[in-house]
Amino acid sequence: MNIILLGFPGSGKGTQAELLKQRYGFMHVSTGDLIRHEIAAGTLLGKKIELLISQGNLASDEDTVNLLVNAIKHRDNDIVFDGFPRTTAQAEVLDRYLKQHGKKVDEVVLLSTREDLILKRLTSRRVCASCGGIYNTYSPDYKEICVKCGGRLTIRPDDTLESAKHRLEVFKKETQPLISYYQQSAGFKKVDGGGSPEEVFGEVVKALGLKK
Ligand code: ADP
Ligand code: ZN
């Protein structure tokens, strides 16, 4: 079963995808993580897109698709797509790619969240420099270090208020149309993304019909 998680930046796609990976064995593919990896590794591609991304703009469809296809070339089933597709062009490429491999997008889960909550979440997000764990400074059990691995918590360069606001605008323009693109498909589900990670996960599991 291949799943796309759709939703505003900061709607919790990464957190839910990680839970699906840990508890149900899905492969979690985040194009945001793939891009950040290129930047951290200082590759040619990373250098080309670094500024663009930190300002909250999208990478090109071509660069993103190349990274994605490379990441899933050894596996084309039981994947959770997080942050991909983000444009209609990317959605069409993904459909074609999976079809060529006799697979398809089975489920699309829209994590619906209010905009004011999104900005609060993005600007208070912290990411573990070692394991990528995601935290929020306002959550009741927040610690200054990663509770999973003891790693240092960092602020993503694109989580400044200015960049976060811009990402919301980019989402509305480029990614919102995808909701209508997928809404007609049988696997489309809308889940309230406003609760705690575990609450939302309960809804996601129910929507996908996964065994508890
Ligand atoms: P968020 O969902 O919180 O915005 P991501 O980690 O998914 O964060 O993505 C971070 C950034 O990486 C995006 O703002 C964008 O610049 C870039 N990016 C991620 N996925 C794509 C994509 N599919 N197409 C183009 N750019 C992307
Ligand atoms: Zn960690």
Side-chain angles (χ1 to χ4, degrees):
M1 170 157 87
N2 291 315
I3 306 168
I4 291 176
L5 295 180
L6 271 184
F8 272 123
S11 59
K13 301 185 296 289
T15 302
Q16 296 304 317
E18 248 340 273
L19 289 170
L20 284 166
K21 175 181 167 178
Q22 286 164 15
R23 309 220 182 131
Y24 291 91
F26 283 92
M27 177 186 186
H28 172 197
V29 182
S30 153
T31 39
D33 285 349
L34 294 172
I35 288 169
R36 279 185 289 277
H37 181 80
E38 290 295 311
I39 294 172
T43 64
L44 223 55
L45 176 62
K47 292 205 172 77
K48 177 179 147 196
I49 53 185
E50 186 168 13
L51 185 64
L52 208 66
I53 305 303
S54 68
Q55 290 172 340
N57 291 304
L58 296 183
S60 73
D61 285 337
E62 193 191 351
D63 288 337
T64 312
V65 165
N66 285 340
L67 285 174
L68 178 97
V69 168
N70 190 48
I72 65 171
K73 65 183 173 205
H74 299 302
R75 175 147 173 183
D76 50 24
N77 214 13
D78 296 328
I79 303 174
V80 179
F81 294 93
D82 156 18
F84 186 94
R86 251 181 164 90
T87 64
T88 313
Q90 292 178 11
E92 287 165 1
V93 172
L94 181 63
D95 280 347
R96 240 180 294 134
Y97 178 88
L98 289 174
K99 200 170 173 186
Q100 277 167 7
H101 295 77
K103 298 287 185 313
K104 62 181 170 47
V105 173
D106 300 288
E107 306 281 344
V108 178
V109 179
L110 172 64
L111 294 174
S112 114
T113 21
R114 290 201 333 264
E115 219 172 302
D116 54 340
L117 179 64
I118 292 294
L119 281 178
K120 182 178 167 204
R121 278 185 182 171
L122 288 175
T123 52
S124 58
R125 170 160 61 188
R126 298 292 182 272
V127 183
C128 172
S130 308
C131 76
I134 305 169
Y135 301 93
N136 234 295
T137 56
Y138 68 77
S139 87
D141 48 4
Y142 177 74
K143 302 275 182 318
E144 297 288 329
I145 58 158
C146 176
V147 294
K148 287 179 214 143
C149 80
R152 193 169 51 86
L153 298 186
T154 59
I155 302 178
R156 263 171 53 172
D158 59 344
D159 277 345
T160 60
L161 182 60
E162 191 189 7
S163 179
K165 279 185 176 161
H166 184 63
R167 276 152 65 207
L168 292 194
E169 294 314 311
V170 172
F171 177 89
K172 286 180 198 163
K173 188 158 164 271
E174 306 283 350
T175 313
Q176 201 109 285
L178 279 184
I179 298 175
S180 358
Y181 180 91
Y182 286 117
Q183 220 154 19
Q184 291 98 344
S185 64
F188 185 86
K189 269 116 200 169
K190 188 169 162 180
V191 163
D192 180 5
S196 70
E198 286 296 337
E199 281 164 357
V200 177
F201 190 59
E203 296 296 315
V204 170
V205 165
K206 202 158 62 175
L208 292 172
L210 295 169
K211 279 200 216 81
K212 283 246 168 98

PDB file of all heavy atoms in Angstrom, residues 110 113 175:
ATOM      1  N   LEU A 110      -5.054  13.588   3.744  1.00  0.00           N
ATOM      2  CA  LEU A 110      -4.886  15.027   3.927  1.00  0.00           C
ATOM      3  C   LEU A 110      -4.941  15.336   5.419  1.00  0.00           C
ATOM      4  O   LEU A 110      -5.949  15.075   6.078  1.00  0.00           O
ATOM      5  CB  LEU A 110      -6.004  15.778   3.186  1.00  0.00           C
ATOM      6  CG  LEU A 110      -6.097  17.277   3.431  1.00  0.00           C
ATOM      7  CD1 LEU A 110      -4.851  17.998   2.914  1.00  0.00           C
ATOM      8  CD2 LEU A 110      -7.340  17.860   2.764  1.00  0.00           C
ATOM      9  N   THR A 113      -5.268  21.196   9.013  1.00  0.00           N
ATOM     10  CA  THR A 113      -4.858  21.977  10.192  1.00  0.00           C
ATOM     11  C   THR A 113      -5.108  23.465   9.972  1.00  0.00           C
ATOM     12  O   THR A 113      -5.055  23.933   8.844  1.00  0.00           O
ATOM     13  CB  THR A 113      -3.344  21.821  10.462  1.00  0.00           C
ATOM     14  OG1 THR A 113      -2.708  21.388   9.280  1.00  0.00           O
ATOM     15  CG2 THR A 113      -3.046  20.867  11.583  1.00  0.00           C
ATOM     16  N   THR A 175       0.613  23.615  -4.164  1.00  0.00           N
ATOM     17  CA  THR A 175       0.247  22.283  -3.656  1.00  0.00           C
ATOM     18  C   THR A 175      -1.251  22.118  -3.418  1.00  0.00           C
ATOM     19  O   THR A 175      -1.785  21.029  -3.593  1.00  0.00           O
ATOM     20  CB  THR A 175       1.042  21.972  -2.367  1.00  0.00           C
ATOM     21  OG1 THR A 175       2.413  22.295  -2.591  1.00  0.00           O
ATOM     22  CG2 THR A 175       0.951  20.509  -1.987  1.00  0.00           C
TER      23      THR A 175
END
